[in-house]
């Protein structure tokens, strides 16, 4: 009987993938190890959204060298976004890794691990990845990013169950690696989602979080996110529904009315703005202006009584002047976010921004803007919590 341990970094997509991968391994007869050191199989579920995340993962993989030396028959797999992005490069930077498997190939995770234990001689250094979007036919690429949603083993913690409603992303924000590593956008059929949530409800789950890269853009034939929220609210036992991450341009009145009218649906919206400067937003390929973002914010607060918002920002994007940055500060002050997640721009190989623009903002300036914006946000958060507005 082999034991496994899954280490997860990154976003909720990865958290869900780890949960589903763990469930599949349990069903195949593996057991969960108490600690990483005890395991016969270690899976590292990785993130590639910023370089810093990747560096930390490679350091952590480096620390597993001894474990591998002491247990040469064990299996070390790298899964998740960095697996899809780096593929063979993983073996160069961490030669003791046995296999690399992208997020679009989780369907063959269990068989990949089993082969490593069962086949003699042992298959070495296998890469299971989806096709690259830039160099392959769209239908082939789509086929190579498999939808993966097997049954899961229900956890006993109280956090909401994650329910994926969309795979991939087609927005191609110029700085972002996600459309490449998670593949083309695919909304799941509403009936599949309803069935999954009914199943969870029967197992006693009361709170769910719908996840996708751009959930407000969910569309399957005629069904939009608002329709899905109505259907899911009808499921007996489901008391709390929220959804992340939204894309500003697709927050429409139907969605806001559903949020307002459905008592189960959270009145909190996470809508990444990324910048308050039109010039920067344009280079980021975000398809909206700061004025349109403000207008959307007004619509949210006007339509949904008691609504709260959070946002993401990238500071120090290529060519961001002091004036551009000041416009981001103005936007943060205007929108009264409950919280903002602020990131320093990190060029990602293969993205348009890395190709077209120079990463010309010095690290100290990025750091300064990051800390400065955070201070402004903290003050707003404090005032909101104290109900000063
Ligand atoms: N550099 C810095 N931050 C990034 N994000 C995405 N790509 C990058 C990048 N290359 C941030 C965005 C996104 C969040 C999940 O990560 O703000 O909303
Ligand atoms: Fe990345 Fe933009 Fe897609 Fe979000 S919407 S995952 S930032 S490309």
């Amino acid at each position: 009987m082999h034991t496994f341990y899954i280490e997860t970094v990154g976003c909720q997509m990865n958290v869900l993938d780890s949960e589903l991968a763990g469930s599949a391994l349990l069903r195949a007869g593996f057991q969960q190890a108490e600690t990483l050191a005890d395991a016969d199989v270690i899976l590292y579920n990785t993130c590639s959204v910023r370089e810093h995340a990747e560096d930390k993962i490679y350091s952590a993989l480096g620390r597993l060298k001894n474990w591998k030396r002491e247990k040469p028959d064990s299996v070390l797999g790298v899964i998740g976004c960095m697996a899809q992005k780096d593929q063979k490069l993983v073996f160069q930077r961490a030669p003791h890794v046995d296999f690399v498997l992208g997020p679009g190939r989780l369907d063959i995770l269990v068989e990949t691990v089993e082969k490593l234990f069962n086949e003699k001689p042992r298959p070495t250094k296998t890469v299971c990845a989806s096709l690259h979007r830039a160099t392959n036919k769209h239908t082939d690429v789509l086929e190579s990013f498999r939808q993966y949603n097997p049954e899961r083993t229900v956890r006993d913690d109280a956090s909401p169950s994650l329910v994926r409603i969309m795979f991939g992303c087609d927005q191609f924000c110029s700085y972002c690696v996600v459309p490449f590593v998670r593949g083309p956008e695919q909304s799941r059929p509403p009936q599949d989602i309803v069935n999954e949530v009914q199943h969870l409800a029967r197992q006693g789950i009361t709170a769910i979080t719908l996840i996708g890269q751009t959930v407000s853009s969910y569309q399957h034939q005629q069904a939009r996110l608002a329709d899905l929220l109505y259907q899911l609210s009808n499921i007996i036992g489901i008391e709390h529904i929220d959804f992340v991450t939204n894309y500003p341009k697709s927050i429409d009145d139907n969605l806001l009315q559903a949020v307002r009218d459905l008592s189960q649906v959270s009145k909190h919206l996470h809508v990444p703005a990324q910048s308050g400067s039109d010039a920067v937003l344009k280079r980021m390929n975000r398809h909206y202006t700061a004025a349109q973002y403000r207008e959307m914010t007004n619509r949210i607060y006007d339509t949904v009584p008691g609504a709260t918002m959070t946002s993401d920002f990238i500071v120090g994007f290529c060519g961001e002047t002091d004036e551009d940055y000041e416009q981001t500060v103005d936007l943060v002050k205007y929108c009264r976010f409950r919280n903002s997640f602020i990131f320093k721009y990190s060029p990602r190989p293969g993205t348009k921004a890395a190709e077209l623009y120079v990463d010309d903002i010095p690290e100290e300036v990025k750091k300064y803007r990051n800390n400065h914006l955070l201070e402004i946000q903290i003050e707003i958060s404090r005032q909101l919590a104290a109900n000063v507005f």
Side-chain angles (χ1 to χ4, degrees):
M1 176 85 62
H2 293 298
T3 60
F4 70 91
Y5 191 94
I6 308 181
E7 187 75 35
T8 308
V9 294
C11 68
Q12 290 187 317
M13 267 306 156
N14 272 8
V15 173
L16 175 61
D17 281 343
S18 288
E19 191 179 339
L20 298 180
S23 302
L25 285 165
L26 286 172
R27 266 199 314 279
F30 290 80
Q31 272 185 353
Q32 197 140 12
E34 292 284 318
T35 66
L36 187 124
D38 290 340
D40 310 317
V41 182
I42 295 180
L43 299 177
Y44 227 99
N45 196 355
T46 60
C47 172
S48 56
V49 82
R50 282 171 291 276
E51 193 181 355
H52 183 62
E54 294 186 343
D55 290 343
K56 283 206 325 216
I57 295 159
Y58 279 114
S59 307
L61 288 173
R63 288 193 294 274
L64 291 175
K65 242 188 224 144
N66 284 341
W67 166 83
K68 187 71 182 169
R69 203 173 296 131
E70 279 161 26
K71 292 172 107 174
D73 295 334
S74 61
V75 168
L76 176 57
V78 173
I79 61 175
C81 295
M82 200 188 80
Q84 175 65 31
K85 174 177 159 287
D86 284 0
Q87 301 190 18
K88 272 197 246 149
L89 184 68
V90 173
F91 301 128
Q92 281 171 33
R93 292 185 68 174
H96 50 298
V97 169
D98 295 297
F99 75 94
V100 167
L101 185 136
R105 294 316 315 271
L106 282 172
D107 57 321
I108 54 165
L109 174 73
V110 172
E111 61 183 88
T112 304
V113 173
E114 281 174 342
K115 264 190 197 160
L116 280 156
F117 283 119
N118 300 336
E119 272 185 22
K120 305 270 180 296
R122 190 175 196 172
T124 53
K125 311 295 174 209
T126 45
V127 175
C128 315
S130 306
L131 296 176
H132 198 286
R133 294 186 79 166
T135 46
N136 291 280
K137 250 182 41 204
H138 185 70
T139 44
D140 296 342
V141 173
L142 253 183
E143 215 275 318
S144 75
F145 281 91
R146 304 283 163 79
Q147 299 207 359
Y148 182 70
N149 244 32
E151 177 133 347
R152 71 184 92 177
T153 313
V154 167
R155 303 166 275 124
D156 47 12
D157 69 59
S159 59
S161 283
L162 302 175
V163 175
R164 179 163 22 219
I165 63 169
M166 300 167 84
F167 290 84
C169 183
D170 280 348
Q171 286 302 328
F172 289 100
C173 300
S174 65
Y175 50 82
C176 187
V177 76
V178 169
F180 302 99
V181 292
R182 289 260 167 199
E185 182 181 305
Q186 303 179 70
S187 290
R188 291 176 66 204
Q191 197 54 52
D192 289 5
I193 299 166
V194 169
N195 292 347
E196 181 174 337
V197 175
Q198 275 172 339
H199 189 67
L200 289 168
R202 280 196 295 273
Q203 290 169 299
I205 297 295
T206 59
I208 55 170
T209 299
L210 308 178
I211 63 171
Q213 251 43 74
T214 54
V215 279
S216 47
S217 309
Y218 172 89
Q219 176 142 30
H220 188 276
Q221 293 163 2
Q222 299 310 311
R224 302 292 318 270
L225 179 57
D227 306 306
L228 199 54
L229 291 174
Y230 280 104
Q231 285 195 55
L232 297 175
S233 293
N234 275 334
I235 297 175
I236 293 170
I238 296 299
E239 292 163 9
H240 190 88
I241 305 173
D242 57 11
F243 48 91
V244 284
T245 292
N246 291 288
Y247 189 70
K249 257 194 102 169
S250 55
I251 302 259
D252 61 19
D253 290 341
N254 280 343
L255 175 59
L256 293 179
Q257 284 155 13
V259 171
R260 178 194 62 200
D261 295 342
L262 293 166
S263 64
Q264 296 89 337
V265 175
S266 162
K267 312 304 171 206
H268 176 77
L269 296 172
H270 179 64
V271 196
Q274 311 298 2
S275 171
S277 151
D278 289 348
V280 172
L281 287 168
K282 197 162 178 55
R283 283 200 296 282
M284 287 178 163
N285 196 31
R286 289 289 288 180
H287 302 287
Y288 54 84
T289 61
Q292 285 170 328
Y293 189 92
R294 281 188 170 79
E295 181 274 327
M296 176 211 69
T297 305
N298 294 339
R299 262 191 305 123
I300 291 174
Y301 289 141
D302 291 347
T303 312
V304 185
T308 56
M309 292 178 67
T310 47
S311 195
D312 289 350
F313 287 92
I314 296 176
V315 293
F317 186 66
C318 315
E320 185 188 65
T321 62
D322 286 342
E323 291 73 39
D324 289 323
Y325 170 68
E326 281 309 321
Q327 289 169 3
T328 298
V329 171
D330 289 346
L331 186 69
V332 168
K333 287 181 177 164
Y334 182 87
C335 295
R336 302 183 327 243
F337 299 115
R338 200 177 71 188
N339 196 6
S340 290
F341 301 91
I342 303 160
F343 307 101
K344 291 179 290 178
Y345 171 61
S346 165
R348 303 286 58 216
T351 59
K352 273 278 170 279
E355 236 172 65
L356 296 178
Y357 311 122
V358 183
D359 176 26
D360 55 355
I361 307 302
E363 181 60 24
E364 312 86 73
V365 177
K366 287 182 182 172
K367 240 185 222 157
Y368 171 81
R369 288 178 186 167
N370 190 344
N371 291 337
H372 181 248
L373 195 59
L374 191 61
E375 274 169 30
I376 288 165
Q377 177 58 59
I378 288 171
E379 178 55 22
I380 295 168
S381 306
R382 196 190 61 74
Q383 291 179 358
L384 275 179
N387 235 335
V388 177
F389 284 113

